[in-house]
Amino acid sequence: MLYNIDMNLLSEVTEIQGVGPKTATALNKYGFYTIKDLIYYFPRSYEDYKKTTKISDLTPGKVIIRGKIRNLKTQYTRRRNFNITTGEVYDETGAVKAIWYNQPYRSKTFKENQTYFFTGNFDFKYNHYQLTSPTTVLADDIYETDHENSGFQPIYPAKGSYKSIWFKRMFQNLRNEIAIVPDLLPIVKPGLRADALFNIHFPDSFDDVEKAKEYLAYEEIFELILASRLNKNENSKLRAEPLKFNAKNTKELVNALPFQLTNAQRLAAWDILKDLEKATPMNRLLQGDVGSGKTVVSALAIYQCFKAGKQSALLAPTAILATQHAKTLKNLLGPLGVKVELLIGATKKKDDLKARIKSGEIDVVVGTHAIITDDTVFSDLAFAIIDEQHRFGVMQRQKLLLKTGDKTTAPHLLAMTATPIPRSLQLTIFGDLSVSTISELPKGRTPIKTKILNETEMKEQLYPVLNQKMKDKEQIYWICKLIEETGRSEASNVKKEADKLKMKFPKAKIEFLHGKMKTDEKDEIMNRFKDGKIDILVSTTVVEVGVDVPNATQIVIMDAESFGLAQLHQLRGRVGRGTKPSNCFLITSGDTPPSQRLSELEKSTNGFYLAEVDLKLRGPGEIYGQLQHGVMNLKIASLTDTKTISKAQKDVEVFLQNPDNMIKCKELMSEIKKYQQLTTLN
Ligand code: ADP
Ligand code: MG
């Protein structure tokens, strides 16, 4: 029946003929629980066995012969140290010699009088025609289609001991069910889904496959978009504290800034300040390239919240960054009467601070997840900011939402990131987010020059530059991959690296920093670096995000190939934060040419462009998937397929206009639950 859930699809795999409890347990391990899980397991490729050639019609080139084999022989040639297996492939029109090199098992695996498909090259060699190293498939292993000559065959990716042929046979048993799979989406032509699923498993041609994929990609994208739209609706049912905008207050802070806001900062701030006025919680992403000045925009929003008499919280991914933010906000907002405090693991007299947060004495709490994991209670939290949001998971966000102490109220939420979400993802998975983009850097910045050097080029091209920069009193980051020597790994280690550098730059003040150090120690070193008391800071990626030392103009990244594109871009963003020209040196070991990742980074400093490149090179599963339990592995759809995306978007709107759809489409609604988790801002 149309639009209705068909219980068969969601029944367990044991309902399939030939799948017993033992097989079921094995299948469960691979994530196949229901019949539907299996039906949505698609072939990796296809082979067209219909294009067989009769032996009498053979011409040189790739051929498929449907025939039998006789006169199998394996000979060892001592002179060439070779096994040669030969046989005679024949059909009703003639015979041809087949030959395999070093595959002696061939002569044993064939059965006489069985029909096989032989796929290989038919060539003139050593004075006669032969079929060279053909691959073979037993004709019985290919289920018979309506066509006499077998046909167009799917090839499934193997799962452990379950090979392609196992899947083929299993689907053969499900053939009738697949042909009548009920519709999933009420807004497409009835039967389209069943046709697509049938054609992806039992196609007659590549055309069939293409048509099937078109629908199935659409279905996936539709589900993603619907999930994110439903999240948006749910969010809009929550209540939030409206925080009034007051032009006079905002001007007061803007006038106190040591610089003029860029136009892009103004526009982004405006979006946010308007959102804060609403009685539904803001769910906004502020994306701006590294150094574009997101912090000050968040300060404007915090000030509006303060003036409305409510508390705000700012979450940062590292203690170093939290410490820096607390300092910045104290400088900016302290003089206007705002009480800002830092809460991290290393904070002393925590109980006392927490009591002051609970009583409402503290206006702004800046910290790491200590804010949410500990028993921190707010008196009236109305606004939360998550800096570098890609580092936070769903759970943390949920906990933050609970901080208002009332399930129907949520704080306004602002996430800030320098790893922009490509447009196509904004429309699909992150469709429930409002997005503001700071698209320009403050004036007077000179672009960062990036150069890839191998270790031998370092001497001539790197050391002289660094010596000169240190003479000019500019500072250097030196980034290494690992803290400790890990056995055979060649990755550099900070301590050793610092010692080496001390030999090369005897006059320089060199210190090192890594994640396992105590927070106090880290802070102390960071502060001295900020104050210009350290020339070269050798560090792991603990300085990756957010750290702002405008006088540091040079960054050297060792083992650059071992970092991802987004991470390298973030690291590079530690320099180029002042008016002096900056350099980023990507050091590669070995002589292999640099990867596309590094070349793209050398060419561009545009984070938005690089995010698109990253999406193409790695796919969304890699970038956003690890953080989101790998749900993001789309089977067929491509998130760069803008045509399908915009069609699905329109259709989702149509779907939502009729509330009955949600009640009718039970299977669809249960399907999109798994997507819903990941589409919320996290
Ligand atoms: P990010 O967007 O990477 O978080 P920050 O907020 O850390 O960037 O800002 C980078 C630097 O730029 C800081 O030193 C900040 O004081 C400075 N800055 C921010 N906005 C402006 C501006 N409009 N003009 C000049 N400098 C600015
Ligand atoms: Mg920042």
Side-chain angles (χ1 to χ4, degrees):
M1 196 172 65
L2 269 185
Y3 314 153
N4 236 339
I5 190 163
D6 181 345
M7 282 318 292
N8 290 333
L9 264 196
L10 296 183
S11 347
E12 289 178 25
V13 288
T14 41
E15 299 286 306
I16 303 171
Q17 202 192 332
V19 176
K22 230 169 144 187
T23 310
T25 313
L27 288 175
N28 289 172
K29 260 205 332 234
Y30 298 116
F32 301 115
Y33 295 95
T34 61
I35 295 183
K36 179 171 178 180
D37 293 334
L38 282 170
I39 292 182
Y40 275 78
Y41 189 64
F42 301 139
R44 163 167 53 83
S45 57
Y46 299 85
E47 186 80 62
D48 193 354
Y49 289 108
K50 268 192 309 195
K51 294 217 177 102
T52 55
T53 312
K54 297 283 177 216
I55 289 176
S56 58
D57 298 338
L58 285 178
T59 52
K62 189 189 164 184
V63 297
I64 304 176
I65 299 168
R66 187 178 195 275
K68 299 179 180 174
I69 192 160
R70 64 191 171 206
N71 297 336
L72 277 159
K73 258 195 288 254
T74 291
Q75 279 178 325
Y76 175 71
T77 66
R78 181 184 298 265
R79 196 163 52 88
R80 287 190 282 168
N81 189 20
F82 243 39
N83 271 311
I84 294 180
T85 305
T86 55
E88 213 177 26
V89 173
Y90 64 99
D91 65 9
E92 66 279 11
T93 67
V96 61
K97 184 179 173 188
I99 182 160
W100 292 270
Y101 300 102
N102 270 340
Q103 299 178 15
Y105 58 89
R106 287 279 180 195
S107 50
K108 292 187 200 93
T109 46
F110 286 116
K111 291 186 196 102
E112 303 229 338
N113 280 322
Q114 289 270 25
T115 304
Y116 295 89
F117 286 91
F118 299 87
T119 308
N121 256 323
F122 179 65
D123 270 327
F124 191 73
K125 268 189 188 159
Y126 313 114
N127 281 331
H128 59 268
Y129 279 102
Q130 67 176 38
L131 193 58
T132 312
S133 303
T135 58
T136 57
V137 181
L138 194 61
D140 283 355
D141 281 354
I142 296 171
Y143 43 74
E144 299 295 326
T145 64
D146 306 332
H147 298 265
E148 195 219 340
N149 260 357
S150 179
F152 196 75
Q153 295 304 310
I155 297 168
Y156 293 90
K159 287 278 184 198
S161 60
Y162 297 95
K163 300 272 163 4
S164 180
I165 187 67
W166 184 88
F167 286 101
K168 273 206 280 201
R169 289 196 180 123
M170 184 268 304
F171 282 124
Q172 195 56 20
N173 287 336
L174 281 178
R175 201 179 157 90
N176 294 336
E177 281 78 3
I178 293 176
I180 53 159
V181 162
D183 291 336
L184 184 76
L185 311 174
I187 53 167
V188 296
K189 210 171 89 209
L192 204 55
R193 181 197 197 194
D195 284 352
L197 288 170
F198 190 83
N199 280 332
I200 200 121
H201 292 295
F202 316 104
D204 276 339
S205 66
F206 278 113
D207 262 7
D208 283 355
V209 176
E210 279 319 301
K211 259 190 246 132
K213 281 188 173 171
E214 200 177 300
Y215 168 78
L216 292 167
Y218 167 84
E219 189 182 284
E220 266 188 309
I221 301 257
F222 184 97
E223 286 173 351
L224 268 182
I225 296 178
L226 179 60
S228 101
R229 276 298 314 263
L230 291 177
N231 275 346
K232 196 171 187 166
N233 289 353
E234 267 167 38
N235 196 46
S236 69
K237 279 185 212 136
L238 290 170
R239 234 190 52 82
E241 195 64 51
L243 308 166
K244 241 182 132 48
F245 169 75
N246 177 318
K248 202 173 113 262
N249 295 337
T250 303
K251 268 203 190 113
E252 182 183 20
L253 176 53
V254 170
N255 291 337
L257 293 175
F259 43 71
Q260 275 221 316
L261 289 176
T262 62
N263 213 26
Q265 280 172 315
R266 269 175 219 281
L267 292 174
W270 184 242
D271 289 342
I272 298 163
L273 301 185
K274 284 316 243 181
D275 270 5
L276 290 179
E277 286 203 295
K278 295 181 187 148
T280 49
M282 167 168 78
N283 194 26
R284 185 171 285 278
L285 178 74
L286 175 60
Q287 52 179 26
D289 218 333
V290 276
S292 61
K294 294 182 288 291
T295 319
V296 64
V297 173
S298 75
L300 289 171
I302 290 174
Y303 194 52
Q304 180 163 319
C305 180
F306 165 77
K307 282 293 187 182
K310 302 286 171 189
Q311 290 176 302
S312 0
L314 194 163
L315 253 77
T318 64
I320 291 179
L321 191 53
T323 311
Q324 177 188 294
H325 280 325
K327 215 167 155 186
T328 308
L329 292 179
K330 270 184 194 167
N331 283 341
L332 287 175
L333 301 173
L336 300 171
V338 185
K339 277 220 177 68
V340 181
E341 285 300 337
L342 175 69
L343 176 58
I344 54 176
T347 300
K348 301 203 175 75
K349 291 199 196 144
K350 249 188 239 156
D351 290 344
D352 178 52
L353 178 58
K354 281 181 188 168
R356 289 159 65 214
I357 294 170
K358 193 174 174 184
S359 76
E361 184 197 328
I362 309 295
D363 303 308
V364 185
V365 186
V366 182
T368 49
H369 17 265
I371 299 184
I372 38 175
T373 51
D374 284 358
D375 50 351
T376 316
V377 182
F378 289 81
S379 114
D380 48 14
L381 180 70
F383 178 36
I385 300 162
I386 305 181
D387 194 21
E388 300 303 347
Q389 68 88 28
H390 59 285
R391 300 204 147 205
F392 286 89
V394 183
M395 293 309 293
Q396 279 137 327
R397 177 177 189 257
Q398 295 303 345
K399 280 190 182 148
L400 192 58
L401 290 182
L402 293 177
K403 286 288 169 195
T404 54
D406 159 9
K407 275 203 176 125
T408 57
T409 340
H412 295 287
L413 196 67
L414 177 68
M416 306 198 287
T417 183
T419 308
I421 298 176
R423 179 98 187 111
S424 53
L425 297 195
Q426 266 180 45
L427 294 176
T428 50
I429 350 173
F430 296 102
D432 53 334
L433 275 185
S434 316
V435 179
S436 300
T437 304
I438 305 183
S439 51
E440 65 180 314
L441 295 180
K443 281 205 193 66
R445 299 262 171 89
T446 30
I448 307 165
K449 280 207 190 96
T450 303
K451 210 164 167 61
I452 304 172
L453 299 176
N454 64 32
E455 280 169 349
T456 41
E457 292 165 329
M458 279 170 83
K459 257 191 209 109
E460 286 161 29
Q461 301 191 40
L462 177 64
Y463 298 150
V465 177
L466 297 189
N467 271 319
Q468 184 56 47
K469 294 295 173 184
M470 283 191 282
K471 258 190 213 146
D472 297 342
K473 293 273 170 280
E474 291 171 34
Q475 294 163 278
I476 301 160
Y477 290 101
W478 192 284
I479 308 297
C480 318
K481 183 78 180 170
L482 287 182
I483 308 170
E484 274 145 40
E485 205 83 299
T486 50
R488 280 164 296 151
S489 160
E490 285 177 20
S492 14
N493 106 17
V494 273
K495 294 175 210 163
K496 262 199 185 166
E497 196 74 15
D499 289 339
K500 268 200 262 171
L501 288 174
K502 279 175 193 160
M503 313 273 280
K504 284 193 189 93
F505 305 103
K507 282 190 212 140
K509 183 97 185 78
I510 300 173
E511 304 241 3
F512 63 83
L513 187 70
H514 59 73
K516 295 228 174 88
M517 285 166 117
K518 289 220 178 70
T519 311
D520 289 0
E521 249 180 301
K522 278 192 268 191
D523 283 352
E524 207 252 337
I525 290 173
M526 246 1 262
N527 284 335
R528 282 198 291 131
F529 189 59
K530 260 195 168 171
D531 295 342
K533 290 179 184 140
I534 298 171
D535 297 312
I536 304 180
L537 181 65
V538 181
S539 171
T540 58
T541 52
V542 284
V543 293
E544 177 185 339
V545 286
V547 175
D548 185 39
V549 183
N551 192 51
T553 60
Q554 312 296 309
I555 185 163
V556 180
I557 304 173
M558 300 300 291
D559 295 312
E561 293 284 8
S562 62
F563 298 95
L565 188 52
Q567 199 178 15
L568 288 168
H569 180 62
Q570 277 279 4
L571 281 166
R572 177 171 61 180
R574 292 320 102 218
V575 300
R577 303 178 82 85
T579 48
K580 289 177 211 155
S582 295
N583 289 311
C584 168
F585 298 98
L586 304 172
I587 312 298
T588 60
S589 47
D591 299 323
T592 40
S595 60
Q596 189 183 350
R597 240 182 22 247
L598 294 196
S599 316
E600 292 284 1
L601 201 76
E602 194 176 37
K603 275 187 281 182
S604 172
T605 51
N606 182 329
F608 292 87
Y609 168 75
L610 292 172
E612 298 284 353
V613 169
D614 210 17
L615 180 66
K616 282 206 193 92
L617 289 179
R618 287 198 294 161
E622 272 288 310
I623 305 176
Y624 301 93
Q626 324 147 295
L627 300 171
Q628 282 138 355
H629 321 293
V631 196
M632 267 292 300
N633 296 321
L634 294 179
K635 289 189 174 123
I636 290 210
S638 150
L639 287 173
T640 49
D641 177 1
T642 45
K643 214 174 112 206
T644 305
I645 290 174
S646 66
K647 174 162 171 33
Q649 240 187 330
K650 282 192 206 113
D651 291 352
V652 166
E653 296 311 320
V654 175
F655 175 89
L656 285 171
Q657 268 159 27
N658 180 358
D660 282 353
N661 281 337
M662 300 232 254
I663 301 160
K664 277 193 296 192
C665 301
K666 291 214 182 67
E667 190 199 338
L668 175 66
M669 298 317 278
S670 88
E671 186 63 31
I672 63 167
K673 275 224 177 73
K674 73 175 189 214
Y675 291 123
Q676 263 193 287
Q677 262 215 341
L678 73 112
T679 62
T680 325
L681 177 56
N682 50 54

